[in-house]
Amino acid sequence: MKKKTAVVALGGNAITDKDREDNIPNQFINTEISLEGIIKLIDDGYNLALTHGNGPQVGNAVLRVELARGKAPELPIFICVADLQGGMGYMIEQVLRNKLNKLGISRDVAVVVTQVMVDENDEDFADPTKFIGQFYEPEQAESLKKEFGWKMKPFPGDQRLRRVVASPKPLCLIEKNVIKRLVEAGVVVIAAGGGGIPVIKHQGVLKGIDAVIDKDRAASVMARDIEAELLVILTSVEKVALNYSKPTQRDLDKMTLAEAERYLSEGHFPPGSMGPKIEAAVDFLKAGGSKVIISSIEKAYEAVNGRAGTTIVA
Ligand code: ADP
Ligand code: MG
């Protein structure tokens, strides 16, 4: 029998825990704790592709570039994303290899630096909304706009401005065939980290573009592209809720695709947090996926086995 294939998306809290100081040794500790459930899935024989967010890390990378201006060469955001796929991918791979080795589980692990195609005419490029990097006084902001062609917007509740970049819709993974083949061969693949390196294609030529892709949307596209049965989105809540954080909050064990779309349109899932996860679920199920599970990192294994989390089916 063909082994079950799942794409697992790790949320921001998998690597950076807000209760611990953010440094590399602590990121290793957090990653090790976060991967407990994943190890059990590997032990159960799942074929897995993992992906991860990079929010705090890419913010710091951009900050370093800005602080080093004039001393070290400028790095575009797509290079920061590519660098972090390597750095964060290395961390996850090493933690997985050490754990698998300790348990005597023989599975290979590899990181695939992943480019994700976007449309340069995506409507988000016209009016980008994703804030990135430092805060600037209006005069500084003006000169950066001229020098680098950046778009800058006032940050809500602040007099100063910040750079904004687009968050275009991911269309497909450039390395999808490689990822699919590796996953089918039983390799645990870490791919499309940070939502992937955004690229556009002009007359057959790929080119990086400064933008950030939502990691949940990218996970959904990866799950579709490698024909996974299951998409697992791990975050900081155990279940998806209606009326979230209100006295009338109701946690959901299950919902159908139709219900997910209805609750989304009713405003239960805000943009920038639960919204993209539900959209990712809807897109994957519409593209032929069988099941989506949303749960916490701690409950990953229980959720995949139907004992926790929110399950979404067509
Ligand atoms: P991640 O880094 O995992 O993508 P996000 O912060 O982007 O995490 O999204 C997860 C958060 O969404 C949860 O921690 C929770 O606070 C919030 N959230 C918003 N609406 C809901 C909802 N309806 N049900 C559950 N969580 C919700
Ligand atoms: Mg998020």
Side-chain angles (χ1 to χ4, degrees):
M1 204 183 82
K2 186 173 168 275
K3 280 189 190 149
K4 266 201 191 148
T5 300
V7 165
V8 180
L10 298 167
N13 62 326
I15 287 136
T16 301
D17 179 337
K18 57 178 175 3
D19 297 331
R20 271 197 200 99
E21 192 195 336
D22 190 16
N23 55 42
I24 297 297
N26 280 344
Q27 288 185 15
F28 271 99
I29 294 171
N30 298 330
T31 304
E32 199 171 325
I33 297 167
S34 299
L35 292 172
E36 285 298 337
I38 309 286
I39 293 284
K40 290 189 204 157
L41 292 175
I42 295 170
D43 197 25
D44 277 0
Y46 271 91
N47 278 339
L48 289 183
L50 303 180
T51 189
H52 58 87
N54 72 357
Q57 290 79 8
V58 79
N60 287 331
V62 168
L63 179 63
R64 282 187 202 100
V65 172
E66 295 184 354
L67 294 174
R69 186 161 292 136
K71 299 196 168 73
E74 200 70 23
L75 298 178
I77 294 172
F78 58 83
I79 293 292
C80 295
V81 174
D83 287 352
L84 282 167
Q85 284 190 352
M88 297 179 78
Y90 150 72
M91 185 179 296
I92 296 169
E93 175 183 333
Q94 191 177 72
V95 167
L96 277 176
R97 277 186 182 274
N98 286 339
K99 284 204 162 201
L100 291 169
N101 192 33
K102 203 167 158 188
L103 294 169
I105 303 170
S106 150
R107 287 283 284 270
D108 240 323
V109 187
V111 184
V112 175
V113 173
T114 314
Q115 306 171 72
V116 174
M117 182 99 84
V118 300
D119 179 356
E120 65 181 313
N121 297 312
D122 188 290
E123 57 183 23
D124 221 66
F125 283 108
D127 185 24
T129 47
K130 192 93 187 156
F131 286 102
I132 194 152
Q134 278 188 282
F135 291 74
Y136 291 101
E137 298 299 334
E139 320 79 74
Q140 287 173 293
E142 215 36 60
S143 81
L144 289 163
K145 264 160 85 174
K146 284 208 190 86
E147 190 175 354
F148 298 109
W150 289 0
K151 291 193 168 145
M152 313 279 288
K153 278 188 183 167
F155 193 74
D158 201 293
Q159 300 296 323
R160 296 166 302 167
L161 294 93
R162 278 178 88 188
R163 183 178 180 193
V164 281
V165 295
S167 183
K169 211 162 82 68
L171 301 177
C172 64
L173 271 59
I174 302 297
E175 292 79 8
K176 68 178 177 186
N177 294 334
V178 180
I179 297 168
K180 188 164 186 273
R181 266 190 265 162
L182 288 172
V183 170
E184 281 170 359
V187 178
V188 178
V189 177
I190 301 148
I197 307 159
V199 297
I200 54 171
K201 200 175 198 175
H202 261 308
Q203 292 163 345
V205 179
L206 295 169
K207 189 172 174 289
I209 186 164
D210 266 348
V212 289
I213 301 171
D214 179 82
K215 72 112 186 10
D216 296 312
R217 282 168 146 186
S220 171
V221 168
M222 174 153 77
R224 179 201 69 194
D225 280 356
I226 70 166
E227 294 169 42
E229 286 89 26
L230 181 62
L231 170 62
V232 184
I233 300 178
L234 300 176
T235 182
S236 42
V237 286
E238 199 204 308
K239 285 176 200 283
V240 179
L242 300 180
N243 302 315
Y244 179 70
S245 76
K246 292 184 190 143
T248 51
Q249 173 169 339
R250 182 159 71 85
D251 290 352
L252 300 168
D253 295 328
K254 257 193 221 158
M255 62 179 146
T256 63
L257 170 58
E259 285 166 338
E261 286 189 293
R262 180 158 58 84
Y263 299 148
L264 195 58
S265 72
E266 289 170 359
H268 288 285
F269 313 130
S273 63
M274 193 47 75
K277 298 184 201 310
I278 304 295
E279 282 166 17
V282 165
D283 289 348
F284 175 59
L285 294 173
K286 284 188 172 170
S290 327
K291 201 199 271 186
V292 180
I293 293 165
I294 301 178
S295 193
S296 62
I297 306 229
E298 297 77 24
K299 297 277 177 171
Y301 187 70
E302 286 76 7
V304 170
N305 287 293
R307 300 194 300 270
T310 303
T311 301
I312 313 166
V313 288

